[in-house]
Amino acid sequence: MHDPDFHRDFCRARLIGAVTLGLCLAVAGHARAEEKTDFKVAWSIYAGWMPWGYAADNGIVQKWADKYGIAIEVTQFNDYVESMNQFTAGGYDAVTLTNMDGLSIPAAGGVDTTAVIVGDFSAGNDAVILKDGTALTDIAGRPVNLVEFSVSHYLLARALDSVGLSERDVSIVNTADPDMVGAFQTPDVTAMVTWNPMASEIAALPGATKVFDSAQIPGEIIDLMVANTEVLQDNPDFGKALAGIWYETTALMVADTPEGAAARAAMGAASGTDGAGYEAQLAATRLFDKPAEAVAFVNSPDLATTMDHVRGFLFDKGLLGPTAPSADAVGIELPSGQVLGDGANVKLRFTDDWMQMAADGAL
Amino acid sequence: MRWINRRPRRGAEMLLLCLPFAALVAAYLIGSAIRLDANPADKLLPSPAQLWAGIQRIALMPDPRTGEWLLWSDTAASLMRLAAGLGIATVIALLLGMAVGLLPYLRASLGAFVAFLSMVPPLALLPILFITLGLGEAAKICLIVIGVAPIMTRDLALRVHEIPREMIVKAETLSASTWLIALRVVLPQVLPRLLTSLRLQLGPAFLFLIAAEAISADAGLGYRIFLVRRYLAMDVIFPYVAWITLLAVLADIAIDRLRSRVFPWSDLERGA
């Protein structure tokens, strides 16, 4: 009846299977840190990131990749969080994210991350909206619907701070961003923090008043294209190609020409609105289409102040990791070489290297 | 000897039972060790020690910010929704399923409609539910009901319809009314099936619960998973997934035990 040979073979097969599966799980993220020619970039739908999709669709990515003899695969994610998780897990070499999420997801996850392009900052794209209220102080005591731990949450913390309130004065209800517009129209929702395009749609509803927006904290919610630092160090051409793609695309999209209007209309359509709707979002976005301005922005001392606010917020929410002893746990390097926090654990780096090259026309 | 006739001995059977689980754990440990070796702060596959620290934080000590015992308050919130949703769905399935299965008039008018309803993908209705019922408990419970009740109803109606016609005729010859036939002939025969049907819907019910909690909530198992997913806290997500699985398995076993305790004869029927 019993066949010991079979049994042993069976066990061995299982063991081999287990090892193989383990290796697959692990290797998913470790084809990196050496010179290579194939790169993967992830982006998701947001006013300031639409140029990446447009560049991929219109041959601009191909053109710059060819120039440096590399291949760049650009993937659009419908889910922003998933795109960052994929980058953190090592599946992508670069991703679009905000300065805050860059610190709390890849950097706090131990992935050394460099901001190659500072694409824009939110200047009104994120807003606090109240029902039956005219001033921010009316928010006290209300439940506030927002995406917890997102830039909306940060905006709320900054807004409350500005009028001497704190998060203890409100209660937070985590709500998914695609459902914000519908949620605002239900009776039990009276305060909401969200971003465009939802924010402008909600603010236009009857009874809704925008009481605070990101234009009141300019330069604090920054949209970046970040890349894995090791990959960049080993392949500086990848950074050059990203910079080339960005500035060629943004120069086209801000141009007051029929081509520029066509590009804006295409980006608007891709983001689910139209040319006019997209231009309204761009008006609330401080887009860095000129590399020199982006270089000046990352070199200004305000960036250190902003990142200090951000890391304080993240630490306060436990997002720098459960074992982080203080907001200093994850080091942030600024272009000047100054480091905020732990110099031995620098995981988020701001640099003007590639933007400066673009400004100098050295790409 | 042919393979179909070879059977493992009792000891070997236990071993074979454990093997896939052991293989999964081994694969995890190997993958985790490799990733952590490359990046000690990697969050994707936490080590057993990190997992244990995560479990301690969520289950064995109050959360420093809110003072709540997260796993337990989340479990209570979720189980309440699940029990309410499944309870309502079971009652609907029993009443409607019996009626549709038994009464030709109702079958003619509602049979196709219930079949139609059971094909609607409930998750696509979420925005409508949230707008009409608000973001509170009602919408979440309603999603579970919409998700599982039509299928349970159909299943029960089919089962009622399968009851041998002779049995009904026999009851009629004994001058039983429709009501009495429903109560004394049909009901006892379909109750075990209702419990089995409920058991089979546990998985979908959890799916709908978690989907609803992901959209808007301030507590719940699904809420926590989608919240901490924002910073890839797999040391919390893995224990939560294991816990949800365990809860579902326990509920499955409990309902099956209940069925065989209350309707011992239904075990015989199944074997036949």
Side-chain angles (χ1 to χ4, degrees):
Chain A
M1 281 287 280
H2 191 62
D3 179 350
D5 271 349
F6 161 68
H7 197 173
R8 205 171 50 233
D9 286 352
F10 197 55
C11 290
R12 193 182 297 147
R14 291 273 183 176
L15 188 63
I16 292 168
V19 172
T20 316
L21 184 58
L23 288 174
C24 291
L25 285 170
V27 167
H30 288 278
R32 58 162 48 150
E34 62 220 25
E35 262 190 61
K36 57 178 190 172
T37 55
D38 291 338
F39 300 89
K40 292 171 79 179
V41 176
W43 72 284
S44 46
I45 302 267
Y46 176 71
W49 295 327
M50 297 313 294
W52 294 107
Y54 181 83
D57 292 343
N58 290 276
I60 302 174
V61 170
Q62 186 70 43
K63 175 187 153 190
W64 285 91
D66 288 348
K67 177 167 181 182
Y68 290 104
I70 57 178
I72 300 178
E73 184 191 332
V74 178
T75 310
Q76 181 198 324
F77 274 69
N78 287 325
D79 188 87
Y80 169 53
V81 173
E82 194 52 38
S83 71
M84 294 186 288
N85 286 350
Q86 287 291 326
F87 171 76
T88 308
Y92 283 81
D93 301 298
V95 68
T96 53
L97 44 66
T98 67
N99 54 330
M100 183 180 120
D101 296 317
L103 183 55
S104 68
I105 301 176
V111 175
D112 198 328
T113 305
T114 298
V116 180
I117 308 282
V118 173
D120 71 277
F121 66 73
S122 170
N125 262 328
D126 300 77
V128 182
I129 302 164
L130 293 187
K131 219 185 253 178
D132 310 321
T134 51
L136 181 56
T137 43
D138 294 334
I139 205 171
R142 297 193 190 198
V144 183
N145 292 72
L146 50 75
V147 179
E148 248 179 302
F149 302 157
S150 70
V151 289
S152 297
H153 203 160
Y154 174 76
L155 180 75
L156 177 70
R158 297 282 289 140
L160 291 171
D161 204 33
S162 73
V163 290
L165 294 169
S166 83
E167 235 184 278
R168 274 186 291 279
D169 299 308
V170 297
S171 56
I172 306 284
V173 182
N174 188 36
T175 306
D177 50 284
D179 297 287
M180 288 291 180
V181 180
F184 196 80
Q185 299 171 54
T186 64
D188 43 343
V189 173
T190 61
M192 186 170 268
V193 189
T194 188
W195 57 85
N196 272 333
M198 295 84 80
S200 54
E201 215 166 306
I202 292 165
L205 293 171
T209 313
K210 185 162 80 175
V211 292
F212 193 89
D213 71 24
S214 52
Q216 286 158 269
I217 52 163
E220 292 196 26
I221 299 175
I222 312 168
D223 300 309
L224 310 166
M225 170 58 84
V226 302
N228 184 295
T229 304
E230 283 176 41
V231 171
L232 271 181
Q233 273 166 358
D234 295 336
N235 307 278
D237 280 350
F238 178 47
K240 289 185 198 169
L242 288 177
I245 294 164
W246 176 256
Y247 292 110
E248 179 174 340
T249 314
T250 50
L252 174 66
M253 74 183 279
V254 298
D256 199 8
T257 59
E259 291 81 22
R264 288 191 295 274
M267 291 182 209
S271 66
T273 167
D274 51 19
Y278 186 60
E279 296 201 17
Q281 289 180 42
L282 280 182
T285 308
R286 170 65 177 89
L287 189 76
F288 289 113
D289 57 298
K290 296 189 179 59
E293 290 174 359
V295 170
F297 178 79
V298 289
N299 281 305
S300 99
D302 295 342
L303 184 63
T305 317
T306 295
M307 290 316 292
D308 198 43
H309 278 305
V310 168
R311 69 193 185 127
F313 170 82
L314 292 176
F315 174 69
D316 188 44
K317 297 278 169 288
L319 299 185
L320 294 180
T323 53
S326 75
D328 285 333
V330 179
I332 305 166
E333 189 187 83
L334 299 168
S336 61
Q338 180 199 347
V339 172
L340 291 177
D342 187 352
N345 186 35
V346 175
K347 293 295 180 197
L348 183 62
R349 298 166 200 270
F350 287 92
T351 171
D352 57 8
D353 288 358
W354 288 276
M355 298 185 292
Q356 186 68 55
M357 270 184 221
D360 297 342
L363 292 173
Chain B
M1 188 186 256
R2 288 182 186 82
W3 277 104
I4 56 162
N5 291 323
R6 295 192 184 199
R7 288 176 193 283
R9 285 180 310 189
R10 179 144 302 180
E13 202 167 293
M14 269 314 280
L15 199 68
L16 288 171
L17 177 83
C18 296
L19 260 176
F21 291 99
L24 188 67
V25 171
Y28 180 88
L29 291 178
I30 295 166
S32 166
I34 294 175
R35 286 194 68 98
L36 286 169
D37 189 47
N39 168 16
D42 181 62
K43 289 173 157 184
L44 195 69
L45 301 176
S47 69
Q50 288 168 324
L51 282 175
W52 174 240
I55 293 170
Q56 280 185 313
R57 255 184 304 118
I58 55 174
L60 305 178
M61 59 178 80
D63 183 59
R65 267 178 299 280
T66 58
E68 284 189 37
W69 302 62
L70 295 180
L71 181 68
W72 310 115
S73 57
D74 285 341
T75 305
S78 285
L79 287 187
M80 215 91 88
R81 290 168 191 146
L82 201 65
L86 284 174
I88 295 171
T90 307
V91 171
I92 292 176
L94 181 64
L95 298 179
L96 205 60
M98 289 229 340
V100 169
L102 210 53
L103 305 174
Y105 264 92
L106 271 182
R107 189 158 58 241
S109 75
L110 286 181
F113 183 65
V114 172
F116 174 80
L117 273 190
S118 68
M119 296 301 165
V120 174
L123 291 180
L125 293 177
L126 259 178
I128 304 173
L129 279 185
F130 277 118
I131 289 171
T132 50
L133 297 174
L135 293 174
E137 298 298 304
K140 298 183 187 78
I141 293 171
C142 192
L143 178 71
I144 299 177
V145 173
I146 291 180
V148 304
I151 296 173
M152 288 176 71
T153 306
R154 268 192 97 188
D155 183 57
L156 207 74
L158 287 174
R159 191 56 187 241
V160 171
H161 203 55
E162 271 173 17
I163 290 176
R165 187 70 201 158
E166 296 81 350
M167 229 183 253
I168 310 262
V169 173
K170 174 82 178 172
E172 285 180 76
T173 61
L174 296 169
S175 76
S177 65
T178 300
W179 173 246
L180 209 58
I181 291 174
L183 216 57
R184 292 296 188 73
V185 180
V186 177
L187 184 65
Q189 297 200 56
V190 296
L191 276 179
R193 179 62 207 178
L194 183 67
L195 288 179
T196 302
S197 176
L198 174 64
R199 228 177 103 207
L200 294 177
Q201 290 304 314
L202 279 175
F206 263 105
L207 170 72
F208 296 129
L209 171 78
I210 287 167
E213 288 180 340
I215 292 204
S216 176
D218 52 11
L221 298 167
Y223 158 79
R224 191 72 53 197
I225 287 179
F226 276 84
L227 182 65
V228 303
R229 168 176 168 269
R230 246 201 113 75
Y231 53 100
L232 204 65
M234 300 309 290
D235 55 339
V236 173
I237 293 180
F238 279 126
Y240 263 71
V241 170
W243 177 238
I244 290 173
T245 311
L246 183 72
L247 286 176
V249 169
L250 289 180
D252 184 281
I253 294 174
I255 296 174
D256 201 40
R257 285 270 165 84
L258 180 73
R259 179 193 55 76
S260 90
R261 170 81 50 99
V262 181
F263 312 106
W265 49 266
S266 61
D267 280 336
L268 297 173
E269 194 184 46
R270 238 188 347 176

